[in-house]
Amino acid sequence: MEPSGADKGFFQKAPVLRNQFHDDASFQRCFKCKLPPLLSPSSLPIVFLSAEVASKAGGEVSSFGQDVISDQIFTWVTDSEHNKPYLKGSGRDAFGKWKGELITGEGWRSLQDFGLSKGMVATGYDTPYGAFCRPLQFLRTHLWVGSCANVGCPSAMQDGAACLLRRHLSHPELSAALSAAEKKVFTDAYQRLTSRDPKYAWTSGQWMTERTGGSDVSLTETVATYQPEGANGFASKQGQIPLGPWSINGFKWFSSATDSEMTVLLGRTAAGGLSTFLAPMRKHDPEATTLTGEPRDDGRALNGVRIQRLKNKFGTQSLPTAELVLDNMRGWMVGREGRGIHEISTILTLTRVHSAVAAVGGVGRGLGIARAYALVRDVGAGGRKRTRLVDSPLHMRTLAKISAEYRRLMLVTFYTSYVLGVSEHSLGARPSPALDALTPQEKLVEPLLRIMSQLAKAYVCKPSVALLFSCMEALGGVGYLVNEEQEYLNISRIYRDTCVLPIWEGTTDVLCTDLVRAMKHARGGADSLAALDEVVRKAWGFEGRAGRPAGWEPVEKWAALKSKIEGTEQADLMGEAREVVWQLGDILASVLLYVDAGTDGNPVAKEVFVRFVEDKFGVERRARGSTEDELNKDLGIVYGHGGD
Ligand code: UCC
Ligand code: FAD
């Protein structure tokens, strides 16, 4: 053996990260997923994408999958991690006057522009695919997550804000309640939020959390006062939305996307309750001057916002998350006074689906890297014959477990995105979305979305952190490194960024308590349970090409859980809220896996389904085959061999 040195001896061959559109069997499965009508809220069967949309959009999504792993993208990612956002001059100028100018890196800004130009939000609004535009948007997002260095965070809030404004602009009663000025402001903001032109488009912030609490915002200290005359203090710059009649004062404890051009925030009014407001981040300040004393007319002065400091975080380091002082921030009320939670919940629905997609997207990238590494890395045990990782039954069993869990979480996530699409399109497209105009099944779509959006966020984000950790471990020490030289291998960065997903937009326990409240809600609760009934029963009744293993009894399990929910006082359920949600998640995941496998009898899909119900439903485990047989089954799950 040659002696080794810095430049001689053994060097590991670098793994090649492949386009996940083609390389990821679970992604392909979701892209082509053709579930039969589990719950037909309209004439649409439940699919994630129709065959027509999959075939029309396939070429573009495939190229997108390649674009997001280009050298250019990874150069921007490295830059955005290196050149983290900062406050120029620590927020104050040489004479102590507050400047609070936020500086972001070129990589971050370029990734933002790339995402906007690729329509990461716009796809959900401007594509002609009806309900399928949401799954399409989120499948594309899934590919983007591992390469976007967190610009998906402002996009998610941008999407939520767009959805909220669209509701107010398109709903006949809500839009009739808007003044001419509000209509103009909302329309302008909506057009920017859904634009593909990075020069025109806006992202949005979402400010809810205060020092008093993020989970419970009822003690919000920010106060909004109706004071239209104060808005004239500054003229809004032409082309920007005018400053609103409300003066908002207070302190926001966490604001991600501080570089956004607008925000949606909660504030307390004299009436007592919380209301939702839209406020532009910037205004034209006639007193602002350039370094040479010339009037500064770039519209960059903040609209009554002072950045107190940026948060120093474990992950999401490229993302500017700040503490903000609001001092006469001018804004517009969205919806009815005192109904702030109700209004902002439209945003929560979107950002929670985005969070779930970010979680599975991160795991998808982690697995892509781990699969690539297993194809090039040899290991041995104490001098015995060295094995390529891909040939190791143990390593493949480990990756198969991660991959199977990933597929299950993907099905839950993309099913949720489909329900979102149906709620917006097949119902929203009706001239009168009044409840009495809906069929009994259509009435179940909103209650189903109410459950699925919280469930997906809770049930998917939390386990994804552990799955990504396992992907990192699959690369050994290299997995733990900050691989700036080979950014495409940087699982540790994705891992750190994924860790926030179970925390923001509602912690896991808070989502579980909210879900229990939703299922017990005096008005919507019964419909939520009825919607879940429909999904579980129809899926069970599906006579597909995957048999129903003896002992897998989702209908009975769900009936028992449902009667427990119905028969127990809300307060008594709270201590078990997480168990309730996990049981529900497992039931739904099992029926989705069953139906998915049954549509075409795909042996890999069936194997994933059967393993899950053996693990979670007490189905008797099959006898293990030979090592070679088991390895082949695991390879099928990991690499998709023997599948389609
Ligand atoms: O963290 C944040 C941003 C981070 C970056 C985001 C990036 C996105 C992903 C990117 C991926 C890369 S922003 C802060 C997020 N904060 C939270 O999520 C707060 C968590 N806490 C909750 O969710 C709580 O459950 C609250 C605050 C919503 C509970 O408030 P209340 O005051 O107790 O309100 P109620 O009583 O629960 O709800 C008031 C009404 C009820 O309807 P009515 O009035 O008819 O009885 C609820 O059913 O609002 C309804 N409601 C909802 N409706 C409450 N929550 C929802 C919901 N999620 N969907 C529909
Ligand atoms: P708390 O509410 O104090 O929770 C502490 C613990 O108590 C948690 O474990 C929680 O699960 C538990 N808990 C709380 N209530 C209950 C209950 N009823 N039953 C049982 N357990 C409970 N917020 C924004 O508004 N806008 C942003 O842009 C934003 N960006 C963020 C970016 C990052 C990187 C991070 C980390 C956070 C961000 N947040 C943002 C804040 C985030 O939404 C909150 O941190 C989160 O909602 C939790 O609130 P909290 O920190 O006050 O924790």
Side-chain angles (χ1 to χ4, degrees), residues 313-616:
K313 297 171 288 177
F314 168 63
T316 65
Q317 292 183 3
S318 51
L319 175 73
T321 305
E323 295 169 15
L324 302 174
V325 178
L326 311 187
D327 180 5
N328 193 25
M329 184 178 207
R330 310 299 312 193
W332 299 84
M333 188 180 282
V334 183
R336 282 188 13 228
E337 189 168 359
R339 295 281 289 159
I341 297 292
H342 180 78
E343 290 299 337
I344 215 161
S345 71
T346 300
I347 301 189
L348 293 176
T349 299
L350 265 295
T351 49
R352 287 171 182 175
V353 178
H354 274 274
S355 295
V357 174
V360 282
V363 177
R365 176 59 61 79
L367 271 169
I369 298 169
R371 280 196 302 274
Y373 198 60
L375 294 174
V376 294
R377 180 69 172 168
D378 292 336
V379 295
R384 283 189 288 282
K385 188 173 170 293
R386 287 176 71 78
T387 319
R388 188 63 43 108
L389 276 174
V390 69
D391 298 323
S392 156
L394 177 57
H395 194 74
M396 283 304 114
R397 175 52 55 104
T398 301
L399 292 194
K401 281 191 171 170
I402 307 170
S403 305
E405 209 170 325
Y406 163 65
R407 182 171 298 196
R408 172 168 60 87
L409 300 180
M410 274 188 86
L411 286 174
V412 171
T413 302
F414 288 102
Y415 177 63
T416 307
S417 78
Y418 175 76
V419 176
L420 171 67
V422 172
S423 80
E424 293 177 325
H425 287 266
S426 106
L427 306 188
R430 287 170 157 263
S432 164
L435 264 185
D436 52 8
L438 301 178
T439 66
Q441 283 208 321
E442 284 173 334
K443 279 184 191 160
L444 299 182
V445 176
E446 287 291 346
L448 184 61
L449 180 63
R450 172 81 175 90
I451 298 299
M452 291 308 299
S453 51
Q454 328 304 312
L455 181 126
K457 159 76 163 75
Y459 183 78
V460 170
C461 292
K462 181 86 180 166
S464 294
V465 173
L467 293 180
L468 250 172
F469 184 85
S470 297
C471 294
M472 199 158 88
E473 191 183 355
L475 268 70
V478 169
Y480 191 72
L481 302 181
V482 178
N483 289 305
E484 285 180 344
E485 306 75 13
Q486 279 138 310
E487 189 65 59
Y488 70 96
L489 287 180
N490 215 339
I491 302 192
S492 64
R493 169 181 56 79
I494 302 172
Y495 173 72
R496 274 187 284 115
D497 293 347
T498 299
C499 283
V500 78
L501 298 175
I503 295 176
W504 69 21
E505 295 298 352
T507 62
T508 308
D509 280 347
V510 165
L511 293 170
C512 293
T513 59
D514 177 65
L515 256 170
V516 167
R517 279 207 307 277
M519 290 191 283
K520 297 289 289 181
H521 196 284
R523 268 172 289 121
D527 283 347
S528 294
L529 296 176
L532 293 167
D533 246 10
E534 187 89 358
V535 174
V536 176
R537 283 178 192 283
K538 282 211 170 152
W540 168 259
F542 172 59
E543 298 288 347
R545 292 169 58 193
R548 301 185 192 94
W552 174 59
E553 290 163 345
V555 175
E556 286 75 4
K557 266 210 160 188
W558 163 240
L561 181 60
K562 182 172 168 246
S563 68
K564 178 178 170 167
I565 295 166
E566 287 169 333
T568 313
E569 288 298 321
Q570 183 170 306
D572 295 333
L573 273 178
M574 285 307 182
E576 297 176 55
R578 203 187 274 221
E579 283 90 330
V580 168
V581 169
W582 250 259
Q583 280 178 37
L584 174 58
D586 285 349
I587 292 166
L588 289 171
S590 77
V591 299
L592 287 169
L593 286 167
Y594 164 69
V595 179
D596 174 40
T599 50
D600 58 1
N602 177 296
V604 171
K606 189 168 171 194
E607 184 66 24
V608 171
F609 162 60
V610 174
R611 284 186 187 191
F612 181 60
V613 293
E614 284 178 350
D615 267 358
K616 287 291 170 96

Side-chain angles (χ1 to χ4, degrees), residues 30-317:
C30 284
F31 198 80
K32 295 183 183 153
C33 184
K34 291 178 190 53
L35 303 185
L38 297 189
L39 169 69
S40 301
S42 64
S43 55
L44 292 168
I46 293 282
V47 291
F48 296 160
L49 293 181
S50 68
E52 191 197 347
V53 176
S55 115
K56 276 191 181 155
E60 188 278 328
V61 183
S62 161
S63 317
F64 180 71
Q66 197 58 46
D67 289 346
V68 299
I69 55 170
S70 67
D71 289 346
Q72 176 62 82
I73 291 285
F74 285 119
T75 303
W76 287 334
V77 173
T78 308
D79 181 80
S80 66
E81 287 284 304
H82 245 306
N83 295 313
K84 293 178 190 149
Y86 66 95
L87 286 186
K88 197 169 169 185
S90 311
R92 292 194 182 269
D93 70 10
F95 304 103
K97 194 168 173 210
W98 191 262
K99 291 290 267 194
E101 197 175 339
L102 173 68
I103 308 293
T104 54
E106 191 190 334
W108 168 262
R109 284 182 269 113
S110 302
L111 287 167
Q112 286 258 35
D113 287 354
F114 178 86
L116 290 166
S117 68
K118 291 288 179 183
M120 299 319 293
V121 170
T123 303
Y125 297 83
D126 67 5
T127 46
Y129 300 135
F132 301 121
C133 70
R134 285 300 187 183
L136 178 63
Q137 174 195 6
F138 286 113
L139 283 159
R140 293 172 86 249
T141 303
H142 184 95
L143 299 175
W144 177 223
V145 169
S147 296
C148 79
N150 304 300
V151 302
C153 165
S155 308
M157 299 189 281
Q158 172 190 352
D159 200 352
C163 193
L164 174 65
L165 295 182
R166 180 174 63 180
R167 194 166 78 84
H168 280 275
L169 290 166
S170 65
H171 189 288
E173 278 166 37
L174 296 178
S175 115
L178 297 177
S179 68
E182 284 166 339
K183 203 168 267 182
K184 185 177 173 313
V185 167
F186 288 13
T187 304
D188 185 45
Y190 174 73
Q191 282 167 355
R192 289 173 182 275
L193 292 165
T194 54
S195 165
R196 290 171 184 251
D197 175 0
K199 289 202 165 59
Y200 175 76
W202 281 0
T203 58
S204 178
Q206 170 197 358
W207 302 346
M208 297 177 68
T209 308
E210 302 201 357
R211 283 176 303 219
T212 47
S215 308
D216 172 14
V217 292
S218 63
L219 297 178
T220 291
E221 294 174 323
T222 294
V223 172
T225 315
Y226 188 68
Q227 228 175 54
E229 68 283 3
N232 299 329
F234 296 111
S236 83
K237 193 179 175 199
Q238 205 185 4
Q240 291 192 333
I241 61 176
L243 303 172
W246 289 83
S247 168
I248 307 170
N249 294 274
F251 186 81
K252 293 290 175 185
W253 184 227
F254 274 93
S255 150
S256 292
T258 310
D259 56 344
S260 291
E261 291 297 326
M262 63 165 272
T263 191
V264 177
L265 73 161
L266 289 176
R268 184 177 304 289
T269 64
L274 293 180
S275 300
T276 289
F277 296 88
L278 179 165
M281 279 296 280
R282 301 182 187 282
K283 63 187 176 184
H284 170 50
D285 179 352
E287 287 176 16
T289 54
T290 63
L291 285 177
T292 56
E294 296 298 313
R296 193 164 120 165
D297 193 22
D298 59 1
R300 288 186 55 80
L302 288 168
N303 169 23
V305 183
R306 203 177 81 195
I307 304 175
Q308 159 140 311
R309 62 173 166 169
L310 291 180
K311 298 284 196 192
N312 189 1
K313 297 171 288 177
F314 168 63
T316 65
Q317 292 183 3

